[in-house]
Amino acid sequence: MTFADEVKNAVTPRAALLVIGVLALQLLFIASYIGALHKPKPTDVPFGVVAPQQVSARLLTELKDLPGGPLDPRTVSDAATARRQILDRDIDGALIFDPRGSTDTVLVASGGGTVLADSLTKIITKVDLAQRRTVRSVDVAPASGQDFDGLSSFYLVVGWCVGGYLCASILAISAGSRPANRQRAVIRTGVMALYSIAGGIGGAAIIGPILGALPGSFWGLSGLGALTVFAVGMITLALEALTGIVGIGLAVLIVVIAGNPSAGGAFPLPMLPDFWRAIGPALPPGAGTWVARSIAYFKGNAVTGPLLVLSAWAVVGTVITLLLSLRGKPDTADGTPPSPHRGTGTGTGTGTGTGTASGGSTLA
């Protein structure tokens, strides 16, 4: 046998295609993470300005015309309203101009991302220095001292997402990646639901009572975890039902390659390039990270949209998985599909080489 024949035997065409697919995922992983995170800078950050009318217009123009367009300033009536809008996650910071002194106040929320809060403070400090004014920073939603750079919520959601697609992958390939019939699909969905509940409670317990890394409602985080794990798991099962084992790679593409760098974890959404900022809120890691931070630091505000995103992934994944299972044929008792070629009869042979099957036919 020649070397070429050995290669053909060792690497089948199907294996070669899968290897090429893995290479493509690897390169996309590198491109996505580096593309999103290699040069973070704030762009069009929603930012409030509280100032007397005669000063407000000038400040708005000055902030809007900053090089690179880091801020999207808008007038806010007073400091209390600015604080409320930050806690409602409508804006990410605000400048409170002091008309009777030379020291202004910048309101930030490090719970939404320490890097963004620091960047806003630096931007306003530079602006005030140019006007021979000083600025003091007030953190209205500070990140926990055990939550370095506000990253704990992101890593919690990443863990939930990883558990979701790994559990679904195991369920999908445990029987040799056979298409699920209706019964098997229902069982897999039920197992996925139980696993999701356990994963949600376990993750919330680790990050809260055990490590103390993230404040907020334990049961709120547990519910978020269960929904996140289930959404990722069911969309993975759905993709596997649609495309076979390739579906596992597609789930990695959606959740890990596209979802993680665009989640606003390492750098909040306003600091990401336009493409990742646009897709992040629509993917499970981004929606989950937003809700986790809202539960921990923003009194559970502004979570309806992201929860609907996670619910949509869960519902679509479940519906596709169950609908496609209707194509499957029922299994036999030993777990293998019935075959028209499998006989159930018995035969008796004689010395002349003839026998009789239970169906009445004569075998020669």
Side-chain angles (χ1 to χ4, degrees):
M1 182 178 293
T2 65
F3 177 75
D5 293 331
E6 291 284 1
V7 171
K8 290 179 181 179
N9 288 336
V11 183
T12 65
R14 182 172 182 268
L17 289 175
L18 290 174
V19 168
I20 293 172
V22 170
L23 176 61
L25 287 177
Q26 172 185 299
L27 297 179
L28 285 172
F29 182 99
I30 295 170
S32 182
Y33 276 72
I34 296 178
L37 308 177
H38 78 288
K39 192 179 180 182
K41 61 178 182 178
T43 307
D44 293 330
V45 180
F47 191 80
V49 174
V50 178
Q53 187 174 1
Q54 63 271 22
V55 180
S56 179
R58 175 181 63 79
L59 278 176
L60 286 175
T61 300
E62 188 174 349
L63 295 177
K64 192 173 185 65
D65 292 341
L66 288 174
L71 303 179
D72 178 17
R74 72 279 310 270
T75 301
V76 179
S77 59
D78 53 49
T81 301
R83 286 175 175 268
R84 187 177 67 252
Q85 289 187 5
I86 291 173
L87 291 176
D88 288 342
R89 308 199 75 178
D90 294 327
I91 58 177
D92 290 306
L95 171 63
I96 314 299
F97 181 86
D98 183 2
R100 290 174 292 187
S102 60
T103 300
D104 300 325
T105 301
V106 59
L107 304 181
V108 295
S110 62
T114 304
V115 177
L116 178 60
D118 291 343
S119 295
L120 292 177
T121 301
K122 291 177 181 177
I123 290 170
I124 299 303
T125 299
K126 187 175 181 180
V127 170
D128 271 24
L129 283 175
Q131 301 296 326
R132 296 184 179 179
R133 300 177 66 84
T134 58
V135 65
R136 68 186 183 98
S137 177
V138 175
D139 199 339
V140 301
S144 165
Q146 304 298 316
D147 181 14
F148 178 75
D149 273 356
L151 291 173
S152 297
S153 54
F154 170 61
Y155 287 121
L156 173 65
V157 173
V158 168
W160 280 330
C161 290
V162 169
Y165 71 72
L166 285 181
C167 179
S169 299
I170 291 171
L171 291 173
I173 66 176
S174 60
S177 193
R178 287 181 297 165
N181 59 25
R182 183 170 55 185
Q183 181 180 11
R184 190 182 300 125
V186 170
I187 292 172
R188 289 177 179 176
T189 302
V191 171
M192 198 68 245
L194 293 175
Y195 176 88
S196 300
I197 294 171
I201 294 174
I206 291 171
I207 206 166
I210 296 176
L211 296 179
L214 205 64
S217 167
F218 169 79
W219 291 111
L221 289 173
S222 297
L224 169 65
L227 178 58
T228 302
V229 175
F230 188 72
V232 173
M234 291 313 300
I235 203 65
T236 302
L237 286 176
L239 290 170
E240 194 276 338
L242 281 168
T243 63
I245 197 171
V246 174
I248 297 173
L250 293 177
V252 171
L253 176 64
I254 293 171
V255 177
V256 179
I257 295 175
N260 284 355
S262 65
F267 300 105
L269 288 174
M271 302 191 73
L272 298 180
D274 291 341
F275 173 76
W276 286 269
R277 185 192 300 199
I279 67 172
L283 299 176
T289 299
W290 179 278
V291 175
R293 283 178 172 161
S294 289
I295 292 173
Y297 299 118
F298 296 92
K299 303 179 180 180
N301 294 327
V303 299
T304 301
L307 287 177
L308 288 175
V309 169
L310 291 170
S311 299
W313 283 101
V315 170
V316 169
T318 302
V319 169
I320 292 176
T321 299
L322 296 179
L323 284 179
L324 292 180
S325 71
L326 299 178
R327 303 179 308 178
K329 298 179 180 179
D331 286 352
T332 59
D334 63 357
T336 57
S339 170
H341 301 294
R342 294 182 65 190
T344 58
T346 59
T348 58
T350 66
T352 59
T354 61
T356 306
S358 61
S361 61
T362 300
L363 303 177

